[in-house]
Amino acid sequence: MNKNNILVLAMLASLGLPAAAQKDTTVFKDQLVDVGANVNFSREQSTAAVSIITNKTVDKRSDKNIGNSIIGQGLGLISLQNSGNYAAYNPTFYVRGLQSLSGSSPLILVDGIERDINDITAEEVESIQILKDAAAVALYGYKGTNGAVLIKTKHGKYNSQEIKFTYDHLWNFMANKPKFVDASTYAQAVNEARGNDGLAAKYSDAEIAAFQNGTYPTMYPNVNWVDEAFRNTGVTNKFNIEFRGGAKKFRYYTMIDLISDKGFIKNFDMNDGYSTQNKYVKGNLRTNLDIDLSETTKFNVNLLGVLAEASRPGNSANIWDMIYSVPSAAFPIKNDNGIWGGNSTWDGTVNPVAQSAGAAYAKNHSKTLFSDATLTQNLSDWLDGLAATLRVSYDNTSNILENHSKGYVYGMNSATWATDGTATPGNLFTGGADTAMGDGATTNSFSKRFHFDGGFNYNNTFGNHSVYSQLKWDYEYEETNGINTVIYRQDASWYTHYGFKNRYFADLALVESGSSRLAPSTKWNFSPTLSAAWIISKEKFMKNISWVDFLKLRASAGIINADFLPNNTWTYYTQQYTMTGGTYPFNETWQSSFGRTSLDRYATEHPSHEKAYKYNVGIEATLFHGLDVTLEGYFTRHNNIWVSSDGKYTDVIGQDAPYENGGIVDNSGFEIGLDYNKTISEVTFNIGGNFNYNHNKIQEQYEEPRLYSNLVQTGHQLGQIYGLKAIGLFKDAADIAASPKQNFSTVQPGDIKYLDVNGDNVIDANDKCAIGHSTTPGMYYSLHLGAEYKGFGFYCLFQGTGLYSGVLNTKSMYWPLINNTTISQYYYDNRWTPANQDAKFPRLSNENNANNYQTSTLWLVNRSFFKLRNIELYYNLPKSLLEKTGFVNGAKVYVRGTDLFSLDHMDVSDPESYGATNPLTRSIVAGLSVTF
């Protein structure tokens, strides 16, 4: 084999795993990368680690915002779906996993300004860039420590006009709805639990029979609260229209988007004049204008207005928490006299149906304005290649909560049993009161941000040398509701990009950043970043290798500063005081009648700030005229992390120890990407995926001295679960007697048996150790497939996780009967009994069993999953047919499915959301898109 072929194959030998891909007509090496320097470099020229999601794939889920639309996409981006009602559910994002004890959330940018991703719709997005290494985030100052997600919105096109209308109708279904036992089974479970605890039975055989046969439905009810409170389907409608075009010196893009969602509340229409349905309505209006004021002066303005309204039953009642609390035997939905059910044990204010139908509603209004304007002046008349740029932005968001909820009377008759075995109504318990609907309103949150930046750019080419350089100053003011929430930040930066023969590239970023959050002596800090790239495919020795179209090697290193606060404490660098009164004046004997003032936490003597040392090596390639490959390897060290120094000092100091910059966390990993596009005859197909592996380790956190090595958390990863190692369930008294004593509570057969980890022959908190993995996945991967033939096509995206653990501690579902809560059918069927010694779960207990309800490997669950995130079947109508209309340029009809199935290790819950909250939803979508 040719030695050059051997060299190339050796460099690409590790690129065998699938990775991120987005089908697009833009050649991979020509994709544009933006690192915040007022210039776009092609991927070929860029030295930064940036993955790109194009607008071809951002709207395949018909979701409410761009954040939910890109789950599973973007090499290096970890996106985890969350639960909640439609208005509230939004994903959690990480760039390259967990990174610091201070937090790991990435910076979210919309058109270069920090903004809320939840306000942006998929339709208005041109591309999304995942900024991962120091070279990609250097110019964002203190805020880029954990990476960034840059959303770029659409703009107009010169000398064109286009109108596009899209409509989506969604049928939504709740997946993995919890199943709780019926009333008679609940009563038997309570009796069994009380028997296990040495207590008398609570329910007689006659009462259990009454629950079962429904003879006395108001005194011995049997209510399936899930089915009575919620219907099976919800409905969402999405309308979107886009106007895009321009003339010779003017470009415009305008979008109007409207979403209306009606949730799963079953009895929403029982009142005249209003609905208690979970409802959400949101309207977006965007206008982006680009104006050529002259041949040398360009002006751009981006405006977005968002109005949203969310309604919930009652005073924003948490119906699902009630579902997970109230047994089917607790009380009837309503009594014979028409009042809602409730009693002295289970208060009527937790009646799920009463709260969803009889307590009126609360409504939240959200108003958002995003605005920014940029003026660019070409100064080539002074110096060839010189330009100046000014940008100003102002954003404002507020939320107003209207409380229109009302109270209601509830009650329940006790039962009186006669000697003949019949029951009659006894005393009537009543509570609550009928009240008028509320009319209060309050602003419960607001935020505003002002941003200004200005600078000079220089861009020129001298023979084989190309130079782009920028001097820029940024200023930002941010305020949110609360105390000590005003933040001022400034950045002075010098960025230079150098190219030689369009083959060798180097970038240098020097940034001096200031922040009002930091102590006076540490407000300003310096961040240098250096990166380089080598286009190997342009070397002479590559000319005869026809299967290599593009091959680039790049590397970066840099220091990125952060202005995180220790425990969100602004005054960490001054002495803290505790006051028991509102003021602290002292009299002549140093006493105060207004309360006492005492010394609190010590001040930090030599404060610093958190720093991230980032290193990255990457390979990008296009092979075989269609196979795009990306490989990334990285290492980041966060040091000077704020931690409490309690573990560094003894209690002899007499006060809380100061916060100190003592934490160190290392994060490393690799990413592999592959995307293949091919057209064979009339069939075009695309296949790709992504694979991300990341691992972090806490190197230092000033942890307190531990009595045993198994208790030490330093050296483990962020989000690590700690607990006891369960080695089974006690079989009998002999098994208990032969085992080390367990000190949490008195154990019985059927209780959890733990391993004596530290070897002291006693089981207690000192036997806890690291178990399982982190609560954030260490592996994250996806696979997508797509094909099209004569207008017919399909697209599907699968996404999975690995090295991902959780603890099954949800009340009633896994920890039942505590404080009169209910019990799931799953637990009941898998509980320990003398006849079921090999059960999955311990014996029932009617008390808060301290031994069994410890975090342990018995409750540990593997949260790894593989999900079908979305699938689309579509048909593009033929051009020949559309041309006959004279005004329709394109039309597409489609059917989509989102989150239709999951392969995982959990029998009755979803690994992404298994708490006492809304189940995740699955959706079927019918849609139409027409372009004029």
Side-chain angles (χ1 to χ4, degrees), residues 8-264:
V8 176
L9 286 172
M11 296 180 66
L12 299 174
S14 60
L15 302 184
L17 294 175
Q22 298 86 31
K23 180 182 177 183
D24 190 21
T25 56
T26 304
V27 177
F28 180 62
K29 69 183 182 67
D30 294 332
Q31 290 180 333
L32 298 180
V33 174
D34 184 351
V35 295
N38 294 334
V39 66
N40 291 320
F41 295 111
S42 68
R43 183 177 293 279
E44 182 180 59
Q45 299 169 320
S46 174
T47 64
V50 178
S51 60
I52 299 175
I53 308 172
T54 71
N55 63 5
K56 302 294 182 181
T57 59
V58 297
D59 190 22
K60 296 293 187 180
R61 291 174 58 86
S62 300
D63 224 313
K64 64 174 185 175
N65 58 40
I66 189 61
N68 287 287
S69 299
I70 60 173
I71 291 176
Q73 300 188 59
L75 185 60
L77 179 65
I78 295 175
S79 47
L80 301 174
Q81 192 174 22
N82 292 319
S83 62
N85 59 66
Y86 188 87
Y89 80 87
N90 291 299
T92 299
F93 290 109
Y94 300 106
V95 174
R96 294 180 165 174
L98 300 181
Q99 301 194 34
S100 173
L101 294 163
S102 301
S104 301
S105 299
L107 172 65
I108 304 296
L109 300 160
V110 180
D111 292 326
I113 305 296
E114 183 180 2
R115 285 164 172 159
D116 190 346
I117 194 172
N118 301 319
D119 289 316
I120 308 300
T121 65
E123 289 82 359
E124 64 194 289
V125 173
E126 185 67 37
S127 68
I128 300 173
Q129 302 188 18
I130 316 304
L131 312 181
K132 297 179 287 189
D133 68 345
V137 300
L139 298 180
Y140 295 107
Y142 284 120
K143 299 192 293 184
T145 312
N146 295 325
V149 178
L150 171 61
I151 301 168
K152 305 192 76 171
T153 59
K154 294 178 181 177
H155 287 260
K157 300 178 180 179
Y158 288 115
N159 301 314
S160 66
Q161 59 180 9
E162 177 183 284
I163 301 175
K164 183 179 181 180
F165 172 77
T166 303
Y167 170 68
D168 293 323
H169 182 82
L170 291 79
W171 293 270
N172 305 313
F173 310 89
M174 288 187 288
N176 297 305
K177 288 192 294 185
K179 296 179 180 179
F180 300 103
V181 298
D182 60 24
S184 64
T185 305
Y186 170 78
Q188 294 175 67
V190 170
N191 284 352
E192 180 182 319
R194 290 175 65 85
N196 291 337
D197 295 335
L199 303 174
K202 180 176 181 179
Y203 298 100
S204 67
D205 291 342
E207 289 177 308
I208 293 174
F211 281 127
Q212 188 171 25
N213 58 37
T215 306
Y216 310 109
T218 57
M219 294 183 292
Y220 293 95
N222 182 19
V223 183
N224 185 326
W225 292 111
V226 174
D227 289 348
E228 294 296 336
F230 297 103
R231 60 184 184 180
N232 293 323
T233 60
V235 176
T236 307
N237 287 286
K238 290 187 62 187
F239 304 86
N240 184 276
I241 188 167
E242 300 172 84
F243 304 89
R244 191 176 194 180
K248 184 178 180 180
K249 296 183 178 181
F250 174 77
R251 292 178 293 152
Y252 65 87
Y253 173 79
T254 297
M255 181 213 68
I256 302 172
D257 184 86
L258 178 65
I259 297 175
S260 173
D261 176 81
K262 296 181 179 179
F264 297 95

Side-chain angles (χ1 to χ4, degrees), residues 322-591:
M322 301 175 191
I323 294 289
Y324 276 83
S325 301
V326 180
S328 53
F331 43 68
I333 298 174
K334 277 189 173 184
N335 292 276
D336 291 336
N337 59 6
I339 67 172
W340 295 105
N343 53 47
S344 58
T345 302
W346 295 283
D347 197 271
T349 57
V350 294
N351 183 327
V353 177
Q355 283 291 322
S356 64
Y361 65 96
K363 183 183 295 185
N364 187 81
H365 299 270
S366 176
K367 301 177 182 180
T368 299
L369 171 67
F370 294 161
S371 61
D372 60 87
T374 304
L375 181 67
T376 303
Q377 178 64 52
N378 188 322
L379 301 175
S380 293
D381 289 342
W382 295 359
L383 178 64
D384 190 26
L386 183 65
T389 301
L390 295 175
R391 177 174 61 173
V392 62
S393 75
Y394 177 77
D395 299 343
N396 189 294
T397 298
S398 66
N399 286 282
I400 298 174
L401 178 64
E402 297 179 9
N403 184 3
H404 299 294
S405 63
K406 66 176 185 178
Y408 52 83
V409 175
Y410 54 86
M412 184 178 176
N413 283 104
S414 62
T416 301
W417 286 88
T419 56
D420 61 357
T422 61
T424 56
N427 294 328
L428 174 65
F429 169 87
T430 59
D434 287 321
T435 61
M437 289 176 59
D439 58 3
T442 181
T443 300
N444 57 359
S445 68
F446 74 87
S447 65
K448 55 185 177 181
R449 176 180 283 110
F450 172 80
H451 177 97
F452 172 84
D453 64 72
F456 293 94
N457 315 314
Y458 179 75
N459 191 8
N460 216 332
T461 300
F462 309 93
N464 291 327
H465 307 274
S466 61
V467 176
Y468 177 85
S469 191
Q470 179 197 65
L471 285 172
K472 186 171 68 169
W473 175 65
D474 296 88
Y475 169 85
E476 188 169 273
Y477 164 88
E478 175 186 352
E479 181 182 1
T480 57
N481 58 298
I483 300 174
N484 290 334
T485 61
V486 176
I487 302 172
Y488 299 90
R489 291 188 179 98
Q490 299 183 59
D491 299 297
S493 61
W494 178 28
Y495 169 83
T496 300
H497 173 84
Y498 170 75
F500 178 64
K501 292 186 176 181
N502 205 28
R503 187 186 310 166
Y504 312 103
F505 299 95
D507 285 24
L508 176 65
L510 305 176
V511 183
E512 183 76 10
S513 300
S515 171
S516 63
R517 290 162 64 90
L518 298 177
S521 61
T522 65
K523 290 186 181 298
W524 287 90
N525 294 283
F526 179 62
S527 295
T529 298
L530 180 65
S531 55
W534 174 29
I535 313 301
I536 303 172
S537 54
K538 290 189 175 182
E539 296 291 349
K540 291 182 179 180
F541 62 80
M542 297 292 296
K543 286 186 177 180
N544 296 324
I545 305 177
S546 59
W547 54 275
V548 178
D549 306 297
F550 169 64
L551 178 61
K552 183 179 78 171
L553 173 67
R554 52 175 166 74
S556 68
I559 302 173
I560 307 298
N561 295 295
D563 62 351
F564 297 130
L565 294 175
N567 197 30
N568 203 34
T569 302
W570 284 70
T571 53
Y572 60 89
Y573 52 87
T574 61
Q575 178 61 58
Q576 302 296 295
Y577 297 89
T578 298
M579 293 180 291
T580 59
T583 59
Y584 54 97
F586 298 101
N587 60 24
E588 64 276 5
T589 60
W590 298 104
Q591 294 179 341

Side-chain angles (χ1 to χ4, degrees), residues 276-331:
T276 59
Q277 183 60 266
N278 264 328
K279 295 186 294 183
Y280 179 71
V281 179
K282 180 171 76 76
N284 281 36
L285 173 60
R286 170 171 290 280
T287 296
N288 291 349
L289 302 176
D290 297 272
I291 306 170
D292 299 343
L293 299 177
S294 69
E295 293 295 327
T296 60
T297 307
K298 315 292 183 183
F299 180 71
N300 159 254
V301 60
N302 302 320
L303 297 171
L304 173 66
V306 182
L307 295 176
E309 183 178 281
S311 299
R312 294 182 63 181
N315 186 10
S316 299
N318 189 341
I319 306 298
W320 277 107
D321 185 75
M322 301 175 191
I323 294 289
Y324 276 83
S325 301
V326 180
S328 53
F331 43 68

